[in-house]
Amino acid sequence: MARVFSGIQPSGELHIGNYLGAVKNWVAIQHQMQSVFCIVNLHAITQAYEPAQLRERTQAMALTLIAAGIDPATCILFVQSDVAEHTELQWIFNTVTPLGELERQTQFKEKSSRAGSGEVSIPAGLLNYPVLQAADILLYRADNVPVGEDQVQHLELSRVIARNWNARFKAGYFPEPQALLTPTRRIMGLDGQAKMSKSLGNTVGLLESPDEIWAKLRPAVTDPARVKKTDPGNPEVCNIFSLHRAFSPAETVTHVDAQCRSAGWGCVDCKKVLHGNMVAELVPIQARAAELRAEPKRVAAALAGGAERARELAKVTMREVRDHMGLTA
Ligand code: TRP
């Protein structure tokens, strides 16, 4: 059976961009393929952070993932640093990774230009970030990696690493993992300027109340052609329409499309309908989150169990890897 691996950074509360771009897809996939999902706290420490906050965010991410439908009894859900084999394999992969490939990664170039502009120097961990990512995936010999567009380059590099290791030590040992691109179109922030992201403050949190969500949706950017209510619009260029596609039933999406093009509805009418459908999807998630918050031991136990199962798989891979590399006594 095909095995799936994916990771998410513990970057505070999940927002609807992460939810639609990754987590909702994971929830469906866990029932179709053997799935390993990881909260990648070792990736998070490549940028400035507070230890207490990281711990809190890791727990919050686990709770939110479970509330969103990731079932720790169906898939393996764990925290990266609980399985030491990730860092061991990362070191090994460093020895078969071309430096030039690391320097060419778009994410490295972006992050290092930001880090390098201050008084802090660029940590080597930022450069080696994709090597750890390859180790995450290949430790479980996963074939499929559900990710967004922005991770395609990292996935290509993980294939190079698998190929190089295989060529040197054992033909065919590691599969070349493929990206399973998320079906949802890219969700922009409510400012319509850039991808939804916590650092830009243009998000809707998965656990925000209906009133908070409305306060953000009401002023959100729509098709700029719709200056007056009587101006017809083009739903294809409207971020609110993308959100309808994600949250509203198909008949509603068709109706919204027609009402926008004919200026039958104003943007506020359109947003009210979206708000109703969004809240309907988020309310059960929020109810589960409240239940889990009342019983924090359940989340801790789920992560402990997940780490245990992940370690079993990881140990087998590492035993074989060490053997093929002459690292055994
Ligand atoms: N780099 C990924 C991101 O920022 C997170 C990640 C780490 C990941 N390890 C992974 C994703 C392994 C997929 C597979 O989104």
Side-chain angles (χ1 to χ4, degrees), residues 42-196:
L42 296 171
H43 280 102
I45 65 173
T46 55
Q47 289 189 294
Y49 78 102
E50 279 304 322
Q53 192 180 54
L54 178 63
R55 186 174 287 116
E56 202 177 285
R57 288 181 168 186
T58 305
Q59 298 303 318
M61 181 57 76
L63 185 146
T64 315
L65 288 174
I66 297 172
I70 299 295
D71 176 9
T74 303
C75 64
I76 297 180
L77 174 68
F78 73 105
V79 176
Q80 191 181 30
S81 63
D82 285 346
V83 182
E85 283 81 358
H86 288 251
T87 43
E88 184 182 357
L89 188 58
Q90 195 258 346
W91 172 255
I92 285 170
F93 282 168
N94 268 328
T95 67
V96 294
T97 305
L99 180 59
E101 297 274 349
L102 292 175
E103 289 168 336
R104 281 204 291 112
Q105 299 294 308
T106 308
Q107 189 177 298
F108 170 68
K109 288 195 273 186
E110 278 171 17
K111 287 189 179 169
S112 60
S113 68
R114 267 183 266 148
S117 60
E119 63 277 20
V120 277
S121 58
I122 299 159
L126 214 50
L127 181 70
N128 291 311
Y129 179 113
V131 187
L132 179 58
Q133 182 162 345
D136 294 342
I137 299 163
L138 295 171
L139 188 53
Y140 303 95
R141 301 172 74 189
D143 322 273
N144 291 298
V145 185
V147 281
E149 285 278 349
D150 64 328
Q151 294 300 312
V152 165
Q153 199 184 23
H154 284 164
L155 257 283
E156 258 162 43
L157 181 52
S158 72
R159 288 195 289 276
V160 170
I161 292 173
R163 265 199 297 279
N164 287 355
W165 190 95
N166 289 350
R168 174 76 178 82
F169 299 109
K170 175 75 184 165
Y173 183 74
F174 287 114
E176 292 187 21
Q178 305 297 323
L180 280 184
L181 287 181
T182 324
T184 320
R185 297 194 307 178
R186 199 160 107 128
I187 300 297
M188 302 293 280
L190 296 182
D191 53 6
Q193 301 301 303
K195 187 177 152 177
M196 187 172 280

